[in-house]
Amino acid sequence: MIKTKMAAPSIPRIQILPPALANQIAAGEVVERPASVLKELVENALDAGAQRIEIETEAGGIGLIRVRDDGCGIHHNDLPLALSSHATSKVRHGEELLNITTLGFRGEALASIDAVSRLSLSSRMADNEHGWCIRENTPVQPIAHPLGTTVEVRDLFYNTPARRRFLRGEKTEFIRLRTIQTQLALSHFEISFRISYNRRPFLTLPACTCPPEQLKRITELCGRNFAEHSMYFKREIEGLCLWGWLGHPEFARSQTDLQYCYVNHRMVRDKLLSHAARQAYGNRLSQGRHPAYLLYLELPTHQVDVNAHPAKHEVRFRESRQVHGFIVRTLAEILEQTEPEGEHRLASGEFRSHPHEVLGKEQAGDTYLVAEVPGSYGPRKHGKHNPLSKGRNDAPSRFGQVQAFVLGRYLLTENSQGLMLVDLPIARAHLAQARLRTAYAAGHIIRQPLLLPLTFQVSLQQAEWTERHVQELRKLGLGLHRLGPQTVVLREIPAAIRELDLEGLLLALLAQLTRQQHIMPAEIPLGELIVALTAQYPASTTSRPSLQEMNAFLQELENLYQIETGLKAPLPWRELPEHEIAQWFLPS
């Protein structure tokens, strides 16, 4: 038998792909469908400082996507480079990836789009008399063009038939285009948009800055029902700001089509943010229902990594647990404040300071603002009338109007009788006492988890008392537990007392409760004791309130003293009548 020698299999050699093929492969990560093309082009316009953006599409975006802006433009010598892979003006050094302030930064979008479509790029800078244009396989040519940039994308995926076959019909792609347009328009209210489809005007959105104007855009894009069943809110803690519109639980939907999250005005689909929002709603939603909301999270750029997903849909937070906790507590508190039997609902511009909600520091002041806008749900639509909250047009009369915030503690006000000095920390403590008394009387206690639990060293007797009465304390909103032989930890408080000196209050409470060794729990008026101590432990002021916040705070304080008759001296203000002030300057 003759043996034949088998030919050795050929081993493929490694080679560098041609640039055109490499760009077509890379386009698969950036260009999924017409909607992703539109997203990249509009984000480039926003990075260029545009104030007006025009969007034209045809045939579901497959036939045409044209985006024109009035931004800074592109230098004509840079037009060919703009269509090259990894070419960008937004990042120059590796260190800048840790502090990205623009929506785009990788330099892949235009090259990827150009690889799978017929693209033309036209632009004119402010110091040029005319614009310049580059088209497929042609050099840069001068053209008439207004200030800004126009990108025209035709015949998407014409040279990659397999990708084109995966696209849906024109109607489905149009719906996805409209979704992206909505997300982009909601990300930057200060930018005007003009949108047309198949050569017909489709949507015109003027620029808007204040919440009532922004609500008009929201009504246009998200529907009147959402606008009527949502509430504008804003909350700030050092380094973090969360604002937006929160839908009422009764407006829950069968799908997640009305959930928009933005991080530093970048639209994201982040699991951490959606989980935090869902947890905040908790059992307020029926099974299978989803909340509706617009959430805008702002934080320093070095605390968030936006280079975590090929399409930049997801982000990573340096302090993810703190961000998650901040969102959960903020949204849960707002939802609790607007429930029918809630302890206290916030009126427009109400000032709060929560010194015990900390982010990596021992104390940090914050501002909590819930402003009613037309159609928003709030105290006037749900629940009983709250005597601690008046209409926003009711100006303070007893305290007058704030003139200054002095010595880091006092509000100086002027009324018809003269001047008044209001001790802000003590006044907060009086308000906290009134809120807590109301909550205990109604049996509805809003609990506030602490971001960083507070640990106290106490006597052995006090630690043992805490261990025996955990459940009684829990019923009153105090999550106080024993950690060691003489150590207790506070993890949760009634929301009403968050503005107080918690350490002083808790130590005084334990001291009184353990003064007599054989007191039975049933004989201890624990709720009354906590209420009595609240006004005695104000917290120092940690941030300077704005004039609007100070006047709103005085309005609530005046409402309190109109309905409370059992408040004990000293009152948290001192009156300086005009005639007494005048006597100071009379000649002796």
Side-chain angles (χ1 to χ4, degrees):
M1 183 175 181
I2 300 175
K3 295 182 179 180
T4 59
K5 189 176 181 179
M6 300 293 294
S10 60
I11 300 176
R13 302 292 301 276
I14 297 175
Q15 60 182 352
I16 297 177
L17 292 174
L21 179 58
N23 286 337
Q24 288 183 11
I25 295 173
E29 296 183 353
V30 179
V31 185
E32 300 175 9
R33 54 187 3 99
S36 57
V37 173
L38 179 63
K39 171 182 176 292
E40 297 291 343
L41 298 183
V42 174
E43 286 184 346
N44 281 344
L46 293 171
D47 286 339
Q51 296 299 309
R52 184 177 66 255
I53 297 177
E54 299 178 8
I55 301 172
E56 300 176 55
T57 56
E58 296 178 7
I62 303 171
L64 170 68
I65 298 176
R66 182 186 294 118
V67 175
R68 172 171 292 176
D69 66 69
D70 62 349
C72 62
I74 305 173
H75 195 281
H76 66 275
N77 291 333
D78 292 342
L79 287 176
L81 193 59
L83 301 181
S84 302
S85 182
H86 309 299
T88 181
S89 62
K90 301 165 187 176
V91 176
R92 296 183 181 274
H93 308 287
E95 295 80 5
E96 296 180 8
L97 288 176
L98 303 177
N99 192 25
I100 295 174
T101 59
T102 56
L103 297 173
F105 54 88
R106 293 178 182 155
E108 297 177 347
L110 285 179
S112 298
I113 297 169
D114 183 45
V116 293
S117 69
R118 306 185 192 278
L119 183 146
S120 68
L121 176 62
S122 308
S123 188
R124 183 189 138 211
M125 301 182 68
D127 55 353
N128 292 346
E129 295 181 356
H130 56 78
W132 298 84
C133 176
I134 182 171
R135 293 185 176 90
E136 185 180 19
N137 300 322
T138 61
V140 178
Q141 299 176 351
I143 61 167
H145 193 277
L147 176 65
T149 301
T150 300
V151 184
E152 186 176 285
V153 179
R154 291 186 179 274
D155 299 330
L156 189 62
F157 299 133
Y158 79 98
N159 55 353
T160 53
R163 292 288 306 278
R164 191 156 186 168
R165 284 196 295 268
F166 277 95
L167 295 179
R168 302 293 182 180
E170 177 180 341
K171 182 178 180 181
T172 301
E173 296 300 335
F174 167 74
I175 292 174
R176 287 170 173 162
L177 281 175
R178 184 173 181 180
T179 299
I180 287 294
Q181 292 166 355
T182 298
Q183 293 173 341
L184 292 166
L186 292 174
S187 69
H188 288 76
F189 288 101
E190 73 282 5
I191 308 299
S192 66
F193 289 84
R194 191 171 69 181
I195 303 170
S196 62
Y197 184 72
N198 286 345
R199 301 183 181 181
R200 294 182 180 179
F202 178 71
L203 196 60
T204 299
L205 302 171
C208 46
T209 54
C210 62
E213 294 177 351
Q214 294 167 352
L215 188 66
K216 294 180 181 179
R217 178 175 292 193
I218 293 171
T219 304
E220 185 77 26
L221 297 174
C222 301
R224 183 172 297 277
N225 283 338
F226 174 75
E228 292 178 349
H229 294 85
S230 63
M231 180 179 64
Y232 172 79
F233 71 95
K234 184 176 183 181
R235 181 173 181 183
E236 298 179 23
I237 291 180
E238 283 188 357
L240 291 177
C241 176
L242 183 66
W243 61 282
W245 284 262
L246 197 60
H248 195 275
E250 296 176 358
F251 187 65
R253 302 169 65 82
S254 59
Q255 52 190 350
T256 60
D257 58 333
L258 272 180
Q259 295 182 358
Y260 298 95
C261 292
Y262 300 88
V263 177
N264 291 342
H265 297 280
R266 178 190 301 275
M267 58 183 184
V268 297
R269 296 195 299 267
D270 190 80
K271 294 180 180 178
L272 183 143
L273 301 180
S274 59
H275 179 272
R278 181 75 191 189
Q279 185 174 336
Y281 275 88
N283 56 10
R284 296 178 179 87
L285 301 175
S286 303
Q287 187 174 3
R289 307 295 290 179
H290 302 276
Y293 50 75
L294 272 71
L295 301 181
Y296 299 84
L297 177 65
E298 299 174 13
L299 71 167
T301 53
H302 67 270
Q303 292 186 13
V304 57
D305 179 12
V306 300
N307 190 22
H309 189 276
K312 296 171 287 188
H313 289 154
E314 299 177 3
V315 295
R316 291 193 183 101
F317 298 100
R318 177 175 295 182
E319 302 292 344
S320 58
R321 291 183 61 186
Q322 293 179 349
V323 171
H324 183 275
F326 169 61
I327 295 173
V328 171
R329 291 193 319 278
T330 299
L331 301 187
E333 182 175 324
I334 295 168
L335 292 169
E336 288 173 344
Q337 297 285 5
T338 55
E339 287 177 347
E341 297 299 326
E343 169 199 350
H344 177 54
R345 303 177 185 90
L346 299 178
S348 173
E350 180 179 342
F351 168 62
R352 296 221 187 272
S353 179
H354 309 164
H356 300 287
E357 292 181 336
V358 293
L359 291 176
K361 296 185 179 180
E362 290 183 347
Q363 284 196 341
D366 70 20
T367 300
Y368 183 30
L369 176 64
V370 176
E372 295 178 26
V373 291
S376 66
Y377 72 83
R380 292 174 185 161
K381 288 187 69 175
H382 298 279
K384 301 175 182 179
H385 171 68
N386 191 336
L388 294 180
S389 177
K390 274 192 172 185
R392 58 181 156 185
N393 294 324
D394 297 333
S397 57
R398 178 169 189 168
F399 296 98
Q401 295 292 323
V402 174
Q403 301 301 316
F405 180 64
V406 296
L407 302 178
R409 182 183 180 100
Y410 304 99
L411 305 181
L412 178 63
T413 75
E414 179 182 1
N415 58 19
S416 59
Q417 305 299 320
L419 299 178
M420 295 183 71
L421 272 179
V422 180
D423 191 313
L424 183 56
I426 295 180
R428 284 191 192 141
H430 280 239
L431 285 174
Q433 185 180 53
R435 296 185 193 120
L436 190 62
R437 182 185 294 112
T438 302
Y440 284 169
H444 185 87
I445 302 168
I446 300 175
R447 293 175 172 83
Q448 175 77 56
L450 296 180
L451 182 60
L452 294 180
L454 301 179
T455 303
F456 306 97
Q457 296 299 317
V458 297
S459 69
L460 181 61
Q461 183 184 12
Q462 291 170 348
E464 291 174 348
W465 189 97
T466 300
E467 187 175 16
R468 291 195 305 268
H469 301 97
V470 169
Q471 295 303 321
E472 290 90 337
L473 292 168
R474 167 65 181 166
K475 291 178 181 178
L476 294 171
L478 288 173
L480 192 64
H481 306 271
R482 186 180 185 181
L483 277 184
Q486 293 182 254
T487 305
V488 296
V489 60
L490 180 66
R491 295 192 175 96
E492 189 178 56
I493 60 173
I497 68 170
R498 60 186 166 230
E499 300 166 347
L500 304 182
D501 172 14
L502 295 182
E503 182 175 0
L505 174 62
L506 263 295
L507 292 178
L509 176 64
L510 291 176
Q512 291 203 31
L513 291 172
T514 58
R515 190 166 298 162
Q516 299 180 21
Q517 298 183 6
H518 304 291
I519 296 182
M520 300 297 292
E523 299 173 0
I524 303 176
L526 192 53
E528 295 180 14
L529 182 57
I530 296 174
V531 170
L533 289 173
T534 52
Q536 302 177 28
Y537 292 91
S540 60
T541 302
T542 57
S543 61
R544 184 184 185 89
S546 68
L547 185 64
Q548 179 185 6
E549 292 165 346
M550 289 186 285
N551 278 318
F553 176 78
L554 286 185
Q555 177 66 73
E556 185 185 8
L557 187 65
E558 181 172 3
N559 294 340
L560 168 67
Y561 283 94
Q562 287 176 351
I563 65 172
E564 293 280 0
T565 58
L567 295 173
K568 299 180 180 179
L571 297 175
W573 66 77
R574 181 71 180 269
E575 298 184 70
L576 300 173
E578 184 178 1
H579 66 275
E580 291 186 9
I581 298 175
Q583 290 178 359
W584 297 349
F585 302 98
L586 293 177
S588 56

